[in-house]
Amino acid sequence: MSGTDQPRDQGLSDVDRPSPSGVNTPGFGSDVVADALRAVDLPYIALNPGASYRGLHDSLVNYLGNRQPQMLLCLHEESAIAIAQGYAKVTGKAMAAAVHSNVGLMHATMAIFNIWCDRLPVVILGATGPVDAAMRRPWIDWIHTARDQGALVRGYTKWDDQPASPAAAREAVLRGAWIANTAPRGPVYINLDAGMQEAKLDEPMAPIDPQRFMPTVLSAPEPSQIAAAADLLRGAKRPLILAGRVSRSLDAWDARIALAERLNAGVVTSLVVGAAFPTQHHLHIGAPRGRALAPEAVEAIRAADVILSLDWVDIAGTFKGAGGEVAAKVVHASVDHRLHNGWSMDYQGLPPVDVLLPCEPHLAVVGLLDALGPGIVRTSETRTKAFPTPAGNKLTVDYMTAALRDSVGGRDVSLAQVPLSWDGRAWAFNHPLDYLGTNAGGGVGGGPGISVGAALALKGTGRLPIAVCGDGDFLMGCTALWTAVHYRIPLLMVIANNRSFFNDELHQERVARARSRPVENRWIGQRISEPDVDIAAIARAQGAVGIGPVTSIDGLGVAFEEAIAAVKAGDVAVVDVRVQPGYAPITVESEKLGR
Ligand SMILES: Cc1ncc(C[n+]2csc(CCOP(=O)(O)OP(=O)(O)O)c2C)c(N)n1
Ligand SMILES: [Mg+2]
């Protein structure tokens, strides 16, 4: 599947079927909104219910028959948005989410920030009011009405609106879906007045052709910009590609390989975003890391004379991590600058850019291939890089990863999440769907929901969705599992359970060292033990298969094989692996850099 495919029916349509209502003409404001949601091709609407949008809820069930969009009930609004993030990670497209009044939106905010930072789309429906105070029920309607509800999320959404009539609401849905799905993609929020939803339609609305209001936007660079970039790259002796935020399209993946081979350019990738280049390819430099750069990548950046950034996230920070000022000329393919605002600094440091190609990376790659023309392509001696061998006799994340890799064997796997302790050398990415990136906004707790959404989008593709999450991440968002179980979305979650918010133990250690205070106290206020949480029981309590705790290296293989068999049979399986606290040394080094 590629980011350009049409949404598919993931086979959920037999779940939650309503009794026929016999209604097939719109009678209320919310019926018009429901029609619009269907017209813009939003396949699912992840939601947690609430009276503020009871009108829309009724329209989705009794007017649309709970199809296109189909409801995905979530136990927390944060999961609803995270599921949409995971879905968009795979498909590149928006699904919808609905959150109740101000309180549901407040629950949703962190996940909205994560999806914003991931530059991925979602159409969020919310509600308030009735805006007309005379229509409000005492107390509850008053506490759940806010004058400017969109202000809660305006800093990290592309657009928001509070339409005052069914016609305006229809327009808002069309505009919202169009804006969300247009690069740079992002979340939009449409706040529906409860009064407007519940009011009877005075007269039928004239039909419209939604496609005419959502024209395809293709931002192409000027030929002169492509020519300037091609000249730089053609003349480069040590060109380097920083392959960043790119699509899941296989065609685009192949084009990147062709460009790297045409230029004989090294390629650096990052675990912050999804797989962008085959990590086993002889031109891939080092292994993908999170914030840290592999030493080989630092060397390549310092040695490069021309760097091509394919929407690399944080060029300025990367150069800082590579030792400061970088001599190379920089070509940057990105439309990200169109999204930057004054609220959030997720735009990162201002990078030096000699040629900007203001387009999505794939268009730049195609344009450059064309401009460069055929050339000498060095034979691509694919070198299979060796995976690191775990050492010692303690159950570490490295042993866990190696055993998981062995159990998976030759299956096609999509890693939907990896924990902070992950070592990028321990897994190979050979396809754009092999790895889907992080929560993107640093919002811990996003992992489970994102994984469920990715698994939803992957359902029926033959790919095995695997999420490896920290225990802290899992415990914050674990009720997303229920949604996967209820809607029969197969998923394997492996919890790297170090019984700690360990990342922050390292921070406390750093502070203690800087202040000459006892380092041995770093665990206080961080460890999740006494009692240890029974993660497998949390999974079982929601109808998933819960396995573990696995406490020995020898126990890993059996546990993973049992879990994979369960997922193949259609289940959600969670394996609690009690790992030793600790991160790959390179990660610890980078944290020191960031201090
Ligand atoms: C919502 C939120 N709360 C707190 C943090 C700070 N934080 C960053 S990493 C981390 C620990 C996460 O724990 P876990 O998922 O178990 O991973 P570990 O560090 O143990 O490998 C915390 C609390 C955050 N980034 N987001
Ligand atoms: Mg932990």
Side-chain angles (χ1 to χ4, degrees), residues 420 500-510 522 525-526 583:
L420 295 164
S500 175
F501 291 106
F502 183 71
N503 175 71
D504 290 276
E505 288 198 40
L506 294 177
H507 280 291
Q508 292 321 124
E509 177 174 334
R510 226 159 278 143
R522 71 175 195 183
Q526 311 276 2
Y583 284 179

Side-chain angles (χ1 to χ4, degrees), residues 146-413:
R147 176 156 330 279
D148 185 8
Q149 211 158 272
L152 275 172
V153 294
R154 194 160 297 135
Y156 42 99
T157 44
K158 274 187 86 179
W159 176 76
D160 71 280
D161 193 17
Q162 188 175 311
S165 68
R170 178 170 71 178
E171 183 169 319
V173 170
L174 266 54
R175 191 194 301 271
W178 182 58
I179 291 176
N181 281 316
T182 297
R185 295 170 187 81
V188 297
Y189 175 64
I190 301 169
N191 187 18
L192 303 168
D193 172 12
M196 184 278 294
Q197 294 174 59
E198 297 190 23
K200 275 195 170 152
L201 287 181
D202 297 332
E203 51 188 27
M205 300 246 306
I208 53 169
D209 174 1
Q211 291 314 317
R212 292 202 61 215
F213 295 89
M214 306 168 70
T216 303
V217 181
L218 271 187
S219 303
E222 289 287 325
S224 63
Q225 294 171 308
I226 283 284
D231 282 350
L232 276 178
L233 287 162
R234 202 181 285 113
K237 293 202 168 51
R238 290 172 307 281
L240 178 69
I241 298 174
L242 300 179
R245 202 187 270 136
V246 295
S247 76
R248 300 302 98 211
S249 150
L250 193 54
D251 288 347
W253 173 272
D254 289 340
R256 284 191 295 278
I257 297 172
L259 181 63
E261 290 178 352
R262 170 67 184 78
L263 292 169
N264 197 29
V267 182
V268 174
T269 62
S270 165
L271 287 179
V272 170
V273 291
F277 198 81
T279 51
Q280 301 286 73
H281 192 286
H282 73 283
L283 288 170
H284 191 282
I285 295 176
R289 314 260 181 194
R291 280 209 293 149
L293 287 168
E296 304 92 316
V298 171
E299 216 173 283
I301 290 170
R302 297 222 62 82
D305 50 359
V306 180
I307 290 176
L308 170 64
S309 149
L310 299 176
D311 208 4
W312 182 258
V313 180
D314 194 11
I315 295 178
T318 298
F319 287 181
K320 202 172 175 184
E325 218 170 296
V326 161
K329 295 269 187 210
V330 178
V331 177
H332 182 40
S334 175
V335 287
D336 206 55
H337 52 282
R338 295 195 189 140
L339 205 68
H340 301 168
N341 67 33
W343 187 86
S344 169
M345 308 292 144
D346 65 274
Y347 46 68
Q348 312 289 341
L350 187 64
V353 175
D354 300 283
V355 179
L356 178 74
L357 303 177
C359 61
E360 289 192 77
H362 179 53
L363 275 187
V365 170
V366 170
L368 285 170
L369 275 170
D370 198 40
L372 289 165
I376 312 156
V377 173
R378 279 89 180 157
T379 39
S380 87
E381 33 143 322
T382 300
R383 181 175 0 130
T384 306
K385 294 173 188 166
F387 296 118
T389 312
N393 55 7
K394 299 246 169 78
L395 203 182
T396 57
V397 173
D398 293 343
Y399 274 111
M400 179 196 78
T401 309
L404 184 61
R405 206 179 53 230
D406 285 349
S407 300
V408 157
R411 290 186 183 86
D412 283 341
V413 165

Side-chain angles (χ1 to χ4, degrees), residues 286 317 494:
V494 175

